[in-house]
Amino acid sequence: MGPRPRLPAEMEMNETAIDLADALRGLEVAVRELRQETARFQARLPARLERLDKSLTAAVAAIPAASCRRLTCPPDYTRQWEDWLARRRPNLDPRAIRYLCWEPSVAISPRFQDVLDHAEADLSARALHGLVHSCHARWCGDLAGGSIVRRIRGRLEAYRGKNRVIGKWRASSRYLLGPDAPGALGTRLVGERGKVEALCKDWGLDPGSPFVAAVVRDAAAMIRASGQAEPTRYLIDELLPWPGLGIEDFKAEVAATILHAAGEPSAGPREALKVFILREPRLGDPRLPRNRAKWHAVPENAQRRFVEWMSAADIRFFFDHVLPDGLDWHGRKAFWLQYVDGNALLSRPLLCESDRRRLMPELGKNEEAIGHFGRIRGQQGVSAFVLDFGSVVAIEFSKMGRCYFYDHATLVKLVGDVWADHPFAASELKHTRTCLDSVAHLHGWEDRMSDILAGHGVHRGRLSSPSPGLRAGESGMREPRDPRIDAIDPMAGQMRHFELTPGVSVQMVWVPPGKFWMGADRELDSMAYANERPRHEIEITQGFWLGAFPVTQGQWQGVVGLHPSSFKGANFPVESVSWENVRWFMTRVNSGGASTYRLPTEAEWEYACRAGTMTSYSFGKDSVVNDHAWYESNSRGATHPVGAKRPNAWGLYDMLGNVFEWVEDSYDEFAYSRHAPQNPINHSPDSRRVARGGCYHSGFVQLRVTHRLGVDQWTRFRDVGFRLVRSGA
């Protein structure tokens, strides 16, 4: 063995400083504990101890985060590793082994772990620190669930030294290593509503590591699944701005939060998210030319939803504030709000100078939301409002009762880009000879304007006020609904939390009793299979509570203590569980109380999924499937956290896509021909059970409400999960 390579002087000082910082922090903790102990007896700390406390605080502050700093492995040691791999040297220097623990490409390799298995001396705290940091630096799903992480976790749990950081890690290794570690630490972060930076400092984590980014992502997914307004504000204020998220992760989280907020009944989180995005340099208003490239990696459905929010806000602002005295005599605001949803509307108020001065106090309340406003000149005291639907552009004015419609290309030739910064001439926007049509706001104007818009493929979407029974953000112009459903039960869609076991709760939605048409016929659905026929009327005589989301991996592990899923994440749907595994789960959750949890019957599942609709998809046409389901075209071949897509009309998420869902019934291709008219359930000797709803790799056919699949009840599949029914009050 050659002489040990000499470390640079700064490296030696680095290690000395880090060891010193560890010691100082240990003393600081000891003083804090002593302070707490003496406080119990209402005793004042001795003066010497007070001075020591102040000195230690100053000393620790002088070496910020030293014990959390990542060491750098000297090149001589990496060359030594390469020589050992090439069998050019018989063994590794012990000091090299300690530093190689901080080199991720080496530390997480099976060969290096074998070296550590045969090392003569126990690993030091610094080496263990390096191993954990190396794992976190290369964190990904395969590594988290693999043997390397299990071996390093075993080494950490075997540590018996006195280093306080490593001692804390050893006692709480589940927060740091393993497939559920980001979810566990994310749960703690959300529960404490703490700052990510403080969490990193408290746990000695590298803030820029992929592991911390995974913690933030899991925490964000957990908040979205909770459906509560207060944690959503925490998500917007603390988690989304975290600089450790890569740009792709950041945009994905923002998109998921937009789609989640779209289904929230409260407008508070939506407004907070809107302000955050408008102020965020990485995004901004997507309608402005300078920001369009920033939104390229954001899914189209999230972009569209955000633009709809902005357009709705513009409509309200213009007709509530810009119109003289805020008097919208003709009801134009209500009319245009109906066209916000689903029409890719780009809106822009153009304010005249007098209106701009008059509205300065109102404009100053939210400078970000008015950054896209333009200017108009040429007609004293008249402002304009541009509504660009792509195929046709409508222009309203504040002081005249006529709306002008233009072909988009014609308007561009006439005035140029309507998003330009220069003022527009009012006379150019009221060009009677060039416009497609103009409509005076006299009797029957709504029908006339609706016909013009419909002729260019623009149709009513959302109502200005959501209809009863629909969640905010849902379309008011729904596909055909069964009229018997809507007035059945005012509790329909009400959401409550129930405790499965101590510390594990489930969010459930009330599904009212009622009648519906189950199955499909070729005449109504050309894609219907034989096992979906005949279409027949069923009555569900008793209402029930149904899980708002599929059971998650966190809930499964909290109940049974095992983690069977192929795709990892506390708020991902549990999968790779057989129908028999689910029965075992039910036995566990039902062991301590009077309420009974079970699987839904096949009829209950389809009834709840439809939520009163009578079409092939519970959300209407297949053109909006991206908004409601994870499937082959948007899932990237994997499951996703529950609740990221829009719910159905009763507030049930992921009923279609993400994972198939087990139901209680045995599979029988011809079961529908033998169904009882009330509460049917099929029990047969067949070892197959029914799975419904499609999954992440399903196409349009499997996502249909009526699609049925027969699956062996003893087999575990990575695309099959389940949701719970709760019987009883």
Side-chain angles (χ1 to χ4, degrees):
M1 182 186 302
R4 187 177 74 189
R6 181 174 178 78
L7 292 177
E10 62 271 17
M11 188 69 67
E12 297 278 9
M13 291 174 63
N14 233 3
E15 190 169 12
T16 302
I18 290 170
D19 290 340
L20 176 60
D22 277 346
L24 287 171
R25 282 193 174 85
L27 285 171
E28 185 186 35
V29 171
V31 170
R32 190 183 306 125
E33 290 174 349
L34 186 56
R35 180 191 295 275
Q36 294 170 350
E37 187 67 23
T38 55
R40 292 173 53 196
F41 303 101
Q42 298 183 339
R44 178 178 174 80
L45 285 175
R48 291 183 181 179
L49 203 52
E50 289 278 8
R51 289 195 296 271
L52 176 60
D53 184 20
K54 293 178 182 178
S55 300
L56 285 172
T57 301
V60 170
I63 313 177
S67 67
C68 304
R69 191 183 308 164
R70 180 184 182 276
L71 293 182
T72 301
C73 183
D76 285 343
Y77 289 152
T78 55
R79 282 194 294 271
Q80 190 178 128
W81 170 251
E82 292 166 0
D83 289 343
W84 181 83
L85 287 177
R87 300 186 177 180
R88 291 192 292 267
R89 61 178 296 136
N91 47 36
L92 295 168
D93 184 78
R95 190 177 182 87
I97 293 175
R98 187 163 75 249
Y99 271 90
L100 287 169
C101 290
W102 288 85
E103 180 57 47
S105 61
V106 176
I108 64 173
S109 68
R111 293 289 300 278
F112 186 72
Q113 293 300 313
D114 292 341
V115 169
L116 296 181
D117 286 341
H118 296 92
E120 295 181 1
D122 292 336
L123 288 177
S124 66
R126 185 61 51 200
L128 287 169
H129 204 157
L131 289 175
V132 175
H133 272 267
S134 292
C135 286
H136 290 177
R138 297 292 178 89
W139 194 263
C140 64
D142 290 341
L143 176 66
S147 61
I148 298 297
V149 164
R150 287 196 295 271
R151 293 170 76 174
I152 292 175
R153 182 171 176 176
R155 301 185 199 288
L156 180 64
E157 292 173 348
Y159 176 74
R160 291 296 181 269
K162 297 182 179 181
N163 183 283
R164 289 183 177 271
V165 173
I166 305 302
K168 179 177 181 176
W169 287 4
R170 178 182 64 80
S172 305
S173 61
R174 70 186 185 91
Y175 291 112
L176 301 167
L177 297 170
D180 300 321
L185 201 54
T187 300
R188 185 163 182 152
L189 177 65
V190 172
E192 296 172 351
R193 301 287 196 276
K195 292 190 173 295
V196 182
E197 183 179 4
L199 178 86
C200 293
K201 183 177 180 181
D202 188 39
W203 285 83
L205 304 177
D206 178 4
S209 69
F211 174 79
V212 173
V215 171
V216 173
R217 291 197 305 271
D218 277 15
M222 182 187 316
I223 289 174
R224 287 192 293 268
S226 75
Q228 298 177 13
E230 181 187 351
T232 301
R233 290 301 303 265
Y234 170 71
L235 162 64
I236 296 166
D237 295 341
E238 176 62 26
L239 301 184
L240 291 183
W242 176 242
L245 287 174
I247 188 64
E248 289 187 4
D249 284 342
F250 167 73
K251 291 181 178 180
E253 292 302 321
V254 169
T257 306
I258 289 172
L259 296 175
H260 164 74
E264 284 287 291
S266 169
R270 198 156 51 245
E271 290 302 311
L273 180 60
K274 191 168 69 175
V275 171
F276 166 75
I277 290 173
L278 292 173
R279 291 177 177 174
E280 174 55 56
R282 292 171 287 183
L283 290 174
D285 190 336
R287 299 170 298 178
L288 297 178
R290 66 176 180 271
N291 293 331
R292 288 170 189 166
K294 301 176 184 178
W295 284 76
H296 278 172
V298 179
E300 182 182 350
N301 56 345
Q303 291 190 48
R304 186 174 67 248
R305 186 62 64 203
F306 184 75
V307 169
E308 287 171 0
W309 296 348
M310 297 299 295
S311 297
D314 285 347
I315 291 170
R316 293 187 176 97
F317 178 84
F318 188 83
F319 292 105
D320 286 346
H321 299 287
V322 181
L323 263 60
D325 300 319
L327 298 176
D328 180 17
W329 295 107
H330 304 99
R332 288 183 285 171
K333 178 178 74 171
F335 175 83
W336 287 116
L337 282 172
Q338 296 177 85
Y339 286 89
V340 169
D341 191 29
N343 284 310
L345 169 62
L346 300 177
S347 61
R348 191 184 195 197
L350 305 175
L351 300 185
C352 65
E353 190 57 36
S354 60
D355 279 343
R356 188 177 289 272
R357 287 196 302 269
R358 174 175 63 86
L359 295 170
M360 194 61 68
E362 190 67 31
L363 296 173
K365 292 179 182 178
N366 193 350
E367 295 181 4
E368 296 82 9
I370 63 167
H372 64 293
F373 283 18
R375 294 174 292 162
I376 190 172
R377 57 178 172 77
Q379 188 169 352
Q380 185 65 29
V382 176
S383 294
F385 187 45
V386 179
L387 300 105
D388 184 355
F389 293 95
S391 57
V392 63
V393 181
I395 301 179
E396 292 270 20
F397 293 89
S398 59
K399 286 188 178 179
M400 61 181 298
R402 185 173 290 274
C403 180
Y404 291 78
F405 292 88
Y406 293 88
D407 172 83
H408 188 275
T410 302
L411 185 64
V412 170
K413 290 179 183 178
L414 189 65
V415 302
D417 185 359
V418 295
W419 290 94
D421 291 331
H422 62 75
F424 294 88
S427 58
E428 293 177 337
L429 300 176
K430 297 184 292 181
H431 210 279
T432 309
R433 288 177 299 174
T434 311
C435 70
L436 292 170
D437 206 341
S438 66
V439 178
H441 296 300
L442 302 174
H443 178 72
W445 67 269
E446 297 102 323
D447 292 338
R448 178 92 181 277
M449 287 173 57
S450 295
D451 289 343
I452 294 172
L453 293 168
H456 291 81
V458 178
H459 302 279
R460 285 181 174 90
R462 178 170 55 196
L463 296 175
S464 57
S465 298
S467 299
L470 298 183
R471 301 170 73 80
E474 287 292 310
S475 173
M477 301 298 292
R478 304 291 296 189
E479 290 297 313
R481 293 179 59 82
D482 188 331
R484 295 167 300 181
I485 298 296
D486 293 326
I488 280 176
D489 190 337
M491 284 182 60
Q494 178 180 323
M495 192 173 290
R496 284 178 58 184
H497 285 80
F498 297 95
E499 187 175 70
L500 292 177
T501 59
V504 180
S505 64
V506 61
Q507 204 167 348
M508 308 197 89
V509 169
W510 178 252
V511 177
K515 293 181 179 181
F516 76 111
W517 286 95
M518 186 174 184
D521 283 328
R522 283 283 186 179
E523 292 77 17
L524 297 175
D525 186 348
S526 61
M527 296 181 288
Y529 290 110
N531 69 352
E532 301 170 30
R533 304 197 294 266
R535 186 169 181 257
H536 55 297
E537 191 177 43
I538 292 296
E539 182 179 12
I540 304 297
T541 60
Q542 298 290 328
F544 55 95
W545 293 97
L546 181 65
F549 314 95
V551 171
T552 65
Q553 296 175 26
Q555 289 167 333
W556 179 278
Q557 189 170 26
V559 172
V560 303
L562 300 175
H563 202 301
S565 299
S566 299
F567 304 103
K568 306 300 183 183
N571 284 287
F572 284 58
V574 67
E575 23 81 13
S576 300
V577 290
S578 70
W579 189 87
E580 292 292 338
N581 293 153
V582 173
R583 285 188 62 191
W584 177 56
F585 178 93
M586 300 296 181
T587 302
R588 298 290 294 270
V589 298
N590 289 327
S591 61
S595 294
T596 301
Y597 291 92
R598 58 177 176 82
L599 287 173
T601 66
E602 188 172 13
E604 287 172 339
W605 187 95
E606 185 170 326
Y607 174 66
C609 184
R610 285 191 175 282
T613 60
M614 297 189 293
T615 50
S616 297
Y617 305 93
S618 59
F619 41 81
K621 299 185 182 298
D622 57 11
S623 59
V624 293
V625 66
N626 267 323
D627 290 351
H628 291 264
W630 294 110
Y631 70 117
E632 64 177 1
S633 296
N634 63 8
S635 69
R636 294 173 294 184
T639 62
H640 291 262
V642 301
K645 295 294 186 180
R646 292 176 68 178
N648 71 6
W650 284 342
L652 296 164
Y653 293 78
D654 298 293
M655 289 297 287
L656 301 177
N658 218 1
V659 290
F660 281 100
E661 296 179 14
W662 290 112
V663 297
E664 182 66 30
D665 298 51
S666 302
Y667 178 76
D668 182 347
E669 182 177 358
F670 307 105
Y672 285 8
S673 62
R674 296 189 292 271
H675 263 178
Q678 293 183 336
N679 309 317
I681 183 170
N682 181 58
H683 289 300
S684 72
D686 198 315
S687 65
R688 291 176 297 172
R689 296 284 172 168
V690 177
R692 298 293 296 263
C695 69
Y696 63 88
H697 58 74
S698 293
F700 286 121
V701 174
Q702 287 186 321
L703 287 182
R704 291 176 306 111
V705 175
T706 56
H707 182 76
R708 308 173 68 221
L709 190 67
V711 182
D712 183 83
Q713 69 186 53
W714 299 96
T715 306
R716 300 164 56 220
F717 295 89
R718 61 190 299 175
D719 55 5
V720 182
F722 69 104
R723 73 178 67 215
L724 294 170
V725 163
R726 184 180 190 270
S727 301

